Amino acid sequence: GQQLNQSPQSMFIQEGEDVSMNCTSSSIFNTWLWYKQDPGEGPVLLIALYKAGELTSNGRLTAQFGITRKDSFLNISASIPSDVGIYFCAGRRSGYALNFGKGTSLLVTP
Amino acid sequence: KAGVTQTPRYLIKTRGQQVTLSCSPISGHRSVSWYQQTPGQGLQFLFEYFSETQRNKGNFPGRFSGRQFSNSRSEMNVSTLELGDSALYLCASSDRRESGGLGTGELFFGEGSRLTVL
């Protein structure tokens, strides 16, 4: 599958801070998705992006589909303790399976 | 609408045994994908089924197999288990209507089956 590089690998922040993470690919994707996984659970879809340049928000979360179609970023504003978890980017080329980054582990202290 | 259901949630097997995991997709979804999740490798794609046909396959040995039934339910099987097969096996369904075709392609995951091989 296509290689996805997700960074940072982990983040340790204080409540109220903003967070930014990104994903880059060696291939062009048609779709970028961002997921969050809590311990013992399956990943939950946060945001889906379908067009280059697209900027989409879901509450305090904002994600963008890079104009080169090889990257995407996710921002979380004013973090709260329940934002703790592992965030995954995922990209898909038409006709191929969804490939995942290795995740960004987010820890938020009150 | 019920989500993706996976059974069993937890299981313990010994080396050399085989295991079958089951997945019921969201009602109306005809595409089912399977992923293996381990701490070191993250989410690794196993296979994807659509309308009882395997559409994509990941880079796993032949010990890993799957199938999909006419009601879109899917099973995956791992034979001759090895210690390294210990992982969380995740099933996801989507509304993809054909390979690379219509539907959002967004995957909705179940809670997974946690396999421990001793």
Side-chain angles (χ1 to χ4, degrees):
Chain A
Q2 297 83 31
Q3 186 82 20
L4 287 187
N5 298 306
Q6 186 172 350
S7 64
Q9 191 173 19
S10 62
M11 300 184 77
F12 187 74
I13 63 171
Q14 284 197 315
E15 184 176 1
E17 289 185 9
D18 296 343
V19 171
S20 184
M21 58 192 77
N22 69 82
C23 218
T24 60
S25 166
S26 56
S27 302
I28 290 174
F29 286 131
N30 296 331
T31 303
W32 281 100
L33 306 174
W34 285 91
Y35 287 84
K36 181 192 178 200
Q37 187 175 25
D38 292 326
E41 306 287 330
V44 173
L45 182 65
L46 298 174
I47 292 180
L49 303 159
Y50 299 103
K51 289 195 286 193
E54 181 179 355
L55 185 71
T56 298
S57 293
N58 178 7
R60 294 177 296 104
L61 277 60
T62 302
Q64 185 159 29
F65 193 139
I67 56 173
T68 66
R69 296 172 64 193
K70 291 185 176 182
D71 63 320
S72 178
F73 73 75
L74 174 71
N75 287 342
I76 305 173
S77 63
S79 58
I80 59 178
S82 63
D83 290 334
V84 166
I86 303 178
Y87 292 79
F88 292 96
C89 64
R92 185 198 290 275
R93 292 168 55 193
S94 181
Y96 290 84
L98 193 63
N99 282 285
F100 284 79
K102 296 216 170 163
T104 295
S105 178
L106 179 63
L107 292 174
V108 181
T109 58
Chain B
K1 205 183 222 188
V4 177
T5 304
Q6 290 189 246
T7 57
R9 286 292 311 277
Y10 303 92
L11 66 167
I12 299 173
K13 293 284 187 178
T14 56
R15 279 182 297 174
Q17 288 187 310
Q18 66 93 27
V19 67
T20 299
L21 309 177
S22 180
C23 173
S24 293
I26 291 171
S27 178
H29 284 190
R30 292 164 63 192
S31 175
V32 172
S33 300
W34 288 90
Y35 287 80
Q36 181 196 65
Q37 186 176 29
T38 57
Q41 297 299 318
L43 283 135
Q44 300 285 304
F45 172 70
L46 282 157
F47 19 69
E48 177 185 8
Y49 288 88
F50 178 83
S51 292
E52 303 178 66
T53 302
Q54 189 179 88
R55 294 303 182 102
N56 283 301
K57 188 177 189 304
N59 190 28
F60 277 81
R63 300 185 296 108
F64 292 80
S65 62
R67 58 178 175 168
Q68 186 180 32
F69 303 95
S70 58
N71 62 359
S72 295
R73 193 177 68 83
S74 177
E75 288 180 348
M76 67 161 284
N77 184 277
V78 187
S79 62
T80 320
L81 284 166
E82 301 176 0
L83 296 178
D85 297 333
S86 295
L88 181 67
Y89 290 87
L90 290 161
C91 169
S93 74
S94 85
D95 66 353
R96 282 180 77 176
R97 297 189 186 112
E98 59 187 65
S99 181
L102 301 176
T104 64
E106 298 166 6
L107 293 186
F108 296 90
F109 285 87
E111 293 182 312
S113 293
R114 170 81 57 191
L115 170 65
T116 301
V117 181
L118 302 176

